[in-house]
Amino acid sequence: MAETVVAEVTVTEVMAELAALEDPKARAVNEKHGDDHGVNLGKLRALAKRLKTQQDLARRLWETDDTAARLLALLICRPKAFERDELDVMLRGARAPKVHDWLVNYVVKKNPHREKLRLAWSADPDPVVASAGWALTTERVAKQPEGLDLAALLDVIEAQMKDAPERLQWAMNHCLAQIGIEHAEYRARALDIGERLEVLKDYPTSPGCTSPFAPIWITEMVRRQHTK
């Protein structure tokens, strides 16, 4: 019923609204992270809340290739409505890091084709595509580890993470940390791999935030679990 109420909204109207939300300061901050848009994400979410779920509009906004429009599309779409091949094309065309992250986390993780995509993407020669496969693997490590070969995942991380391109390295590192946090029987090995590879060891971390360096990350999260 919600879609019927707001069905008259056009792409042109939405793009005009996004243009009105453009903030040079927000753009400057976003561009430092590789995201070419200037819309405050809180305001973007408020717009999405007003538009409600509109799958057809979401698809048309995605086709504009505008980063803010694509982020909005990911907030108003129906994650389960996309076909596997459609999501594959969308991921490969997701230029901006934020679009890539939201597509994986807000849409693919809720889609019935996520496991087939996880397997295909993890083996993809494109490191950015592969990073999406690792993100989906990390989700399974935490929520549905049955059937995963955690030892084999650690073998791949140990062999490839040190020299992996940045996006893929971050995704592998997250998986390493998640294995160490969630699976006590592999914790010692995960800590050892992190210590030896030293990936993100010197990454600047804001006060109050946990370092992405896997040994620190694992140790802190396990400590929190034990103090609950």
Side-chain angles (χ1 to χ4, degrees), residues 38-68:
V39 180
N40 175 280
L41 294 182
K43 293 180 180 179
L44 192 75
R45 290 180 189 279
L47 175 57
K49 188 175 181 179
R50 199 176 82 237
L51 289 172
K52 299 184 174 65
T53 302
Q54 295 194 66
Q55 181 68 7
D56 289 342
L57 178 59
R59 280 198 168 101
R60 295 199 301 275
L61 288 171
W62 183 270
E63 290 168 1
T64 66
D65 197 27
D66 176 84
T67 295

Side-chain angles (χ1 to χ4, degrees), residues 192-210:
D192 178 63
I193 291 171
E195 290 287 1
R196 284 188 290 105
L197 298 187
E198 298 186 336
V199 169
L200 300 175
K201 184 176 183 179
D202 300 318
Y203 190 81
T205 306
S206 302
C209 296
T210 303

Side-chain angles (χ1 to χ4, degrees), residues 20-202:
L21 292 174
E22 175 77 21
D23 179 353
K25 290 182 179 178
R27 178 172 286 276
V29 171
N30 291 332
E31 286 182 344
K32 289 181 181 178
H33 302 289
D35 295 311
D36 55 342
H37 76 94
V39 180
N40 175 280
L41 294 182
K43 293 180 180 179
L44 192 75
R45 290 180 189 279
L47 175 57
K49 188 175 181 179
R50 199 176 82 237
L51 289 172
K52 299 184 174 65
T53 302
Q54 295 194 66
Q55 181 68 7
D56 289 342
L57 178 59
R59 280 198 168 101
R60 295 199 301 275
L61 288 171
W62 183 270
E63 290 168 1
T64 66
D65 197 27
D66 176 84
T67 295
R70 285 188 161 186
L71 290 173
L72 181 61
L74 296 173
L75 293 175
I76 67 170
C77 73
R78 279 202 190 92
K80 295 179 181 178
F82 293 102
E83 295 301 323
R84 174 187 168 179
D85 290 347
E86 187 176 12
L87 289 172
D88 185 70
V89 170
M90 289 170 71
L91 185 85
R92 294 175 191 280
R95 298 172 293 98
K98 183 69 73 177
V99 172
H100 179 278
D101 290 343
W102 281 21
L103 175 60
V104 173
N105 288 300
Y106 295 173
V107 180
V108 180
K109 285 182 179 180
K110 299 175 183 177
N111 184 275
H113 303 291
R114 61 186 176 275
E115 181 61 13
K116 290 181 179 178
L117 289 169
R118 181 186 78 83
L119 294 169
W121 289 344
S122 295
D124 199 278
D126 183 329
V128 176
V129 175
S131 74
W134 278 91
L136 295 173
T137 298
T138 301
E139 174 91 347
R140 274 204 59 187
V141 167
K143 296 182 178 180
Q144 194 185 354
E146 298 78 13
L148 286 180
D149 188 337
L150 298 179
L153 287 174
L154 289 174
D155 288 343
V156 175
I157 292 168
E158 186 171 18
Q160 299 179 14
M161 182 172 73
K162 180 78 171 178
D163 299 316
E166 184 180 14
R167 292 294 295 278
L168 180 54
Q169 186 182 69
W170 271 89
M172 284 183 164
N173 184 70
H174 190 180
C175 191
L176 173 66
Q178 204 69 55
I179 291 172
I181 293 164
E182 301 288 345
H183 302 278
E185 66 273 30
Y186 292 102
R187 189 167 298 146
R189 187 179 174 202
L191 289 166
D192 178 63
I193 291 171
E195 290 287 1
R196 284 188 290 105
L197 298 187
E198 298 186 336
V199 169
L200 300 175
K201 184 176 183 179
D202 300 318

